[in-house]
Amino acid sequence: MTLNSPVRNARRPARRLGPLPWIAPAVLLILAVVLWPVYEMVRTSFLRISTSGFVRGSAGLDKYRKLFGESDLGHVLLATVVWTLAVVGLTMLLSLALAQLFDQRFPGRRYARWALIAPWAASVLMTAIGFRWMLDRTAGVLNTLLTDLGLVDGPRDWLGDPSTAWPWMVFVAVFVSLPFTTYTLLAGLQTVPAEVYEAARVDGASAWQAYRRITLPLLRPAFLVGVVINLINVFNSFPVIWGMTRGGPDSSTATSTVFMYQLKATDIGESAAMSVVNFALVVLMVLVFLKVSRWNGEES
């Protein structure tokens, strides 16, 4: 008994730490790759930095005043909201339909599922550049096809006009977002027990009633995961817009993330201030969504 006492005493501090030794590497990784960059971003927004990267001293709140005085900021923020809602909304609706389709048995289902992975496997920037070339005014295949079919009188500058550039960018953003969201919802559908549908049929429920009262409620966790991930990704989307229009002409097709990158060319501190605003908006947007959707499923 006495020989084991030192061993027991040595184990007590480890027991008091609980799971901390196991999660410590993850906590350190989060501190290194998330919190430290956020700290540097906030610190930079209060500095006066030359375009060559040299710190010229403190700027106080001057960079934020300059940012909120930008004439394009209001348009950019509004465009960001519309862009995020349009892309996420269309992505979730189409993914829900595709997940429902792929959950059924039909010839070639395996190959159709494989084909859906293609936009996910390809680089988002590469996809955006591919569509940019396809929509090019002089060498784009779309203009060539429409002209040959007599549907347009001459080549159109699809990405040079914001009224046509925005719909095309939304299309590409939805295109690259579908695979992840569809597979997330498909995984959720496949967790619904078949016995539940069997019981609903016995009770006389129609297909639509079973879908509305069984499928959608049980799919809620997967659906919320898809919405949250898409909200963050689409709000911060850079490759699609930068690869297709670079936010131009001027900032007419820029979201807040692209606008932040545009500001970097003239004022690094102001760009950092825009980054802080973006970060705050993302956190606020996700918190509001989780609150409204009651993420944990508990009624207040």
Side-chain angles (χ1 to χ4, degrees):
M1 182 68 70
T2 56
L3 291 176
N4 291 333
S5 296
V7 176
R8 290 179 180 176
N9 292 335
R11 289 177 178 174
R12 283 175 185 171
R15 289 176 180 173
R16 292 194 188 103
L17 291 175
L20 185 59
W22 303 102
I23 65 174
V27 172
L28 292 175
L29 183 63
I30 292 172
L31 291 174
V33 303
V34 177
L35 296 185
W36 178 254
V38 169
Y39 165 76
E40 284 295 322
M41 175 182 69
V42 175
R43 188 178 71 87
T44 303
S45 69
F46 292 101
L47 297 176
R48 185 175 289 104
I49 303 175
S50 68
T51 53
S52 56
F54 292 100
V55 178
R56 303 300 186 187
S58 174
L61 295 173
D62 290 348
K63 300 305 177 183
Y64 289 92
R65 294 191 189 99
K66 183 179 178 182
L67 172 65
F68 291 116
E70 291 284 350
S71 59
D72 290 331
L73 182 62
H75 164 75
V76 166
L77 291 178
L78 178 61
T80 303
V81 172
V82 175
W83 158 265
T84 304
L85 293 178
V87 174
V88 174
L90 288 172
T91 298
M92 296 309 300
L93 287 175
L94 292 175
S95 296
L96 191 60
L98 285 173
Q100 193 69 39
L101 172 64
F102 289 153
D103 195 40
Q104 308 300 316
R105 294 188 177 276
F106 59 88
R109 182 179 68 166
R110 177 184 301 178
Y111 301 105
R113 288 182 175 182
W114 290 350
L116 185 65
I117 298 176
W120 196 9
S123 163
V124 176
L125 182 60
M126 182 183 73
T127 303
I129 293 174
F131 273 94
R132 186 185 73 191
W133 280 109
M134 185 183 76
L135 299 169
D136 186 75
R137 181 172 186 173
T138 56
V141 295
L142 181 63
N143 274 326
T144 302
L145 177 63
L146 292 179
T147 303
D148 290 343
L149 293 175
L151 298 177
V152 294
D153 296 332
R156 293 190 59 182
D157 190 5
W158 299 99
L159 299 179
D161 183 357
S163 65
T164 54
W166 277 114
W168 276 110
M169 290 191 300
V170 168
F171 172 81
V172 175
V174 172
F175 178 72
V176 299
S177 302
L178 280 177
F180 167 79
T181 314
T182 300
Y183 275 100
T184 299
L185 297 179
L186 181 60
L189 283 174
Q190 293 180 341
T191 63
V192 180
E195 294 81 5
V196 178
Y197 293 114
E198 199 67 42
R201 280 194 292 269
V202 171
D203 291 340
S206 65
W208 168 244
Q209 289 174 329
Y211 185 75
R212 185 166 55 90
R213 296 180 181 178
I214 297 175
T215 304
L216 290 181
L218 294 179
L219 194 59
R220 182 172 176 269
F223 192 86
L224 291 179
V225 168
V227 171
V228 171
I229 297 299
N230 275 294
L231 281 175
I232 296 172
N233 286 343
V234 174
F235 184 91
N236 291 313
S237 180
F238 180 82
V240 171
I241 299 174
W242 190 257
M244 295 182 71
T245 67
R246 295 183 178 268
D250 297 326
S251 298
S252 58
T253 59
T255 59
S256 57
T257 305
V258 176
F259 187 60
M260 170 196 70
Y261 195 78
Q262 291 176 331
L263 292 174
K264 182 182 71 69
T266 56
D267 193 330
I268 295 175
E270 187 182 6
S271 177
M274 187 71 241
S275 300
V276 174
V277 173
N278 273 348
F279 181 77
L281 288 175
V282 169
V283 173
L284 179 63
M285 176 180 61
V286 172
L287 289 178
V288 168
F289 175 78
L290 295 181
K291 178 65 176 178
V292 170
S293 64
R294 294 188 177 93
W295 171 263
N296 58 7
E298 295 177 1
E299 299 292 337
S300 57

